[in-house]
Amino acid sequence: MIWIRMLGLDLACIAFYVIVMFIIKNYIISSFQKSKNKEEAATKLNTFFIWSVFVVSTAIGALAGFSMAAILKVKGLREFVLFMILLIFEIYVVIMFFTNKIHEKIFDQKLKGLFVIRQFVVVSLGLIVMLFIDFVPILANLKTDNYKYTYLLPVSIFIGFYLFWLIFLNLQYPKKELKIDEYPFIKEVLKKFNLEDIKVILLETMGQKFANLFAAGVFKPQLLVTSYALENLKEDQLAAIMVHEIGHIKRNHVRKILLGWVITIFYYLAFVFGFDSLFNYFMLDSTFFGIFIIVLLFVGTLQFCLLISYFSRIAEIEADLFVLKSGVDREVYENALKSIYALNYIKGNVSKPLEKIQSHPSLKKRIQILTDAEKTLLEYSPPFKKVYGMLVAAIVVLFGSYIIFGILLPNNNLIKDSTNIEKIKLIKYVPAPSEGSGNGKKVNLRVEKNITDKKEIQNILRCISKTKTKSDFANTLFERDYEIEIYKKNSQPLIYSFSSSSGVVMKYVLAEDFVKVGSRPWVGVNKELRKVISRYFNSIEN
């Protein structure tokens, strides 16, 4: 029954998505046909299409996810993940189809059949890798009920997207080494900067209107140029853009950006875990804890995105100024930039907030920087080292806070929880001979101990909180010899079973809480718990 409802939901979501995309496609094509300035209209409509795809896809994905969760009622983790992966793949196929149709009309783009096949295979492979990485913290969070795995989501999304882009760039376009002897102006540029031995790789775009040049390689630099750029840029423009990419190589921007990204990841982790530990230690009132997590995740993610794009933007500015210092005429380079933006139908001016999350400054800002630099002869030194130093200092402080308040010092959450606990009942099942039995059979006698001392309650809570390798209990069976019942004021008790021989702990959840609240039972391992609770039964005699 669940699978039928899942299939129905999937078909409904995709049908609705196709209808919305069909409406967007017709609007874009109609607007383009009515426009007078076709090139300007194509650029604006392409930007509109990109944002429309992002908004509609996010809305459909969120709606489908919440609907699926309602159908499963917090059960069926595997079904939920499979459904979302299938839906994302279907959305990708729909996006690819409508993107090609729209670009065919407004860009007059005619893709080769081989390109479409490669696009489908390569993007599918990239999606598999990206989704696998993106779902790791989600699955960990769902399986363990540990909200802290949610903090890893922005990092996993970034790494997944970066690997997706690497797969796409390396496999989408057929590659071959460019014979620079056939292009004297390219050979001349490389010779000027003592880079005659560097490889220049041609990416065959197979009908796609994609004009660009790249500097790639961490240890062995390469220059990549698309066939569409080679065919549509003038020689002086192509040479000017090539000098820009050589600027990236000469200034070691690939390494500096990657280092910046690694430091940013550590800073983000230090930020969220550091402030989380501070909140847990000092805030005794847990009323706003959920809001705090959301705010912390939002602020941390915002900083993460801004820093990731910041390192790329300052590298682009330095590479632009490298072009001027190399003797390239400013107007020639500006015209080259304008041609690149026009060939790719990219808007030359964007809002300041949007520019902050882009890898490149806007065309308008780049031209303004070039103009000012030529007038003032201003030297620009990108603050890589300064930002590195500030972030590392912040990492030390925030990770120090996490170690001190999250690991070394007693957790104030224990104090907060213990004030709301009336008692903890420890139950031990002691094997004893069955009365009147001559065959050696034994029964488990129930021995109880009530713990009311706050420090002892905190000690037990602290030990339980250290339980590791939590997972959904499924059909786990084990031989228990202890039970732990935690009685909170005005609420149902929390119940745990424990096996002193194996260290297995199982948390039970009331059926009502499982369905309505979403509380999940789990099983884990905690061998320290035996030492803590067994001492209360040392005086027991069989």
Side-chain angles (χ1 to χ4, degrees), residues 180 215 336 363 489:
I180 60 175
L363 176 61
K489 296 175 183 177

Side-chain angles (χ1 to χ4, degrees), residues 162 165-166 169-170 175 195 198-201 203 213-225 245-259 261:
Y162 182 68
W165 173 245
L166 287 180
L169 191 61
N170 282 280
K175 295 180 181 179
L195 294 173
I198 198 170
K199 286 185 178 181
V200 181
I201 306 299
L203 304 179
L213 288 85
F214 307 91
V218 178
F219 302 106
K220 193 175 181 181
Q222 291 181 338
L223 284 173
L224 287 75
V225 55
E245 300 305 326
I246 289 173
H248 286 310
I249 295 173
K250 289 291 187 179
R251 297 293 184 261
N252 293 314
H253 284 162
V254 174
R255 297 181 191 178
K256 290 178 179 177
I257 291 172
L258 287 176
L259 177 59
W261 289 354

Side-chain angles (χ1 to χ4, degrees), residues 471-489:
S471 62
D472 290 344
F473 72 100
N475 294 317
T476 303
L477 297 174
F478 67 100
E479 186 176 347
R480 65 179 182 177
D481 52 354
Y482 286 96
E483 276 190 11
I484 304 168
E485 297 178 0
I486 302 175
Y487 290 85
K488 292 188 175 183
K489 296 175 183 177

Side-chain angles (χ1 to χ4, degrees), residues 272-507:
V272 292
F273 283 101
F275 277 100
D276 181 89
S277 64
L278 288 170
F279 183 88
N280 277 320
Y281 187 82
F282 288 105
M283 299 298 291
L284 296 180
D285 186 4
S286 61
T287 307
F288 301 104
F289 187 62
I291 298 175
F292 168 78
I293 292 175
I294 294 173
V295 172
L296 180 62
L297 185 61
F298 173 78
V299 174
T301 303
L302 182 62
Q303 292 183 84
F304 182 73
C305 294
L306 293 175
L307 285 168
I308 289 292
S309 58
Y310 174 76
F311 286 115
S312 298
R313 284 201 313 280
I314 61 176
E316 292 300 325
I317 293 173
E318 186 179 30
D320 281 346
L321 297 179
F322 179 87
V323 176
L324 292 187
K325 292 178 183 178
S326 302
V328 177
D329 183 75
R330 177 180 60 82
E331 291 186 0
V332 171
Y333 182 53
E334 285 182 6
N335 289 332
L337 289 175
K338 290 176 181 177
S339 295
I340 282 282
Y341 276 71
L343 288 171
N344 291 290
Y345 298 94
I346 300 173
K347 287 180 67 176
N349 188 24
V350 297
S351 63
K352 288 185 178 180
L354 182 59
E355 187 175 9
K356 294 295 183 183
I357 60 173
Q358 292 186 159
S359 61
H360 288 60
S362 66
L363 176 61
K364 181 179 179 181
K365 184 171 183 178
R366 295 175 77 171
I367 291 176
Q368 185 62 51
I369 291 173
L370 290 169
T371 303
D372 293 343
E374 188 180 53
K375 288 179 181 179
T376 61
L377 300 177
L378 183 66
E379 288 290 329
Y380 176 75
S381 178
F384 282 108
K385 291 183 179 180
K386 181 179 179 181
V387 178
Y388 292 163
M390 293 172 62
L391 290 177
V392 169
I395 289 170
V396 171
V397 172
L398 291 169
F399 262 131
S401 299
Y402 172 71
I403 292 171
I404 293 171
F405 296 104
I407 298 176
L408 299 180
L409 292 181
N411 192 337
N412 264 16
N413 264 340
L414 298 174
I415 301 174
K416 175 176 59 181
D417 290 342
S418 63
T419 57
N420 196 37
I421 292 175
E422 294 178 337
K423 67 176 180 178
I424 293 180
K425 181 186 289 186
L426 300 179
I427 303 168
K428 182 174 182 179
Y429 294 94
V430 182
S434 177
E435 185 176 349
S437 173
N439 54 9
K441 288 186 177 180
K442 293 186 177 182
V443 295
N444 285 328
L445 298 180
R446 180 183 171 105
V447 182
E448 298 181 0
K449 290 285 184 177
N450 290 318
I451 311 300
T452 56
D453 182 81
K454 293 301 178 183
K455 288 186 177 180
E456 292 186 1
I457 288 175
Q458 291 172 20
N459 192 34
I460 295 172
L461 292 177
R462 182 183 296 108
C463 189
I464 292 175
S465 68
K466 293 180 180 180
T467 302
K468 297 180 180 179
T469 63
K470 293 180 184 178
S471 62
D472 290 344
F473 72 100
N475 294 317
T476 303
L477 297 174
F478 67 100
E479 186 176 347
R480 65 179 182 177
D481 52 354
Y482 286 96
E483 276 190 11
I484 304 168
E485 297 178 0
I486 302 175
Y487 290 85
K488 292 188 175 183
K489 296 175 183 177
N490 303 319
S491 65
Q492 296 287 346
L494 299 176
I495 302 175
Y496 300 85
S497 288
F498 175 65
S499 169
S500 59
S501 59
S502 63
V504 173
V505 184
M506 181 182 288
K507 177 187 176 183

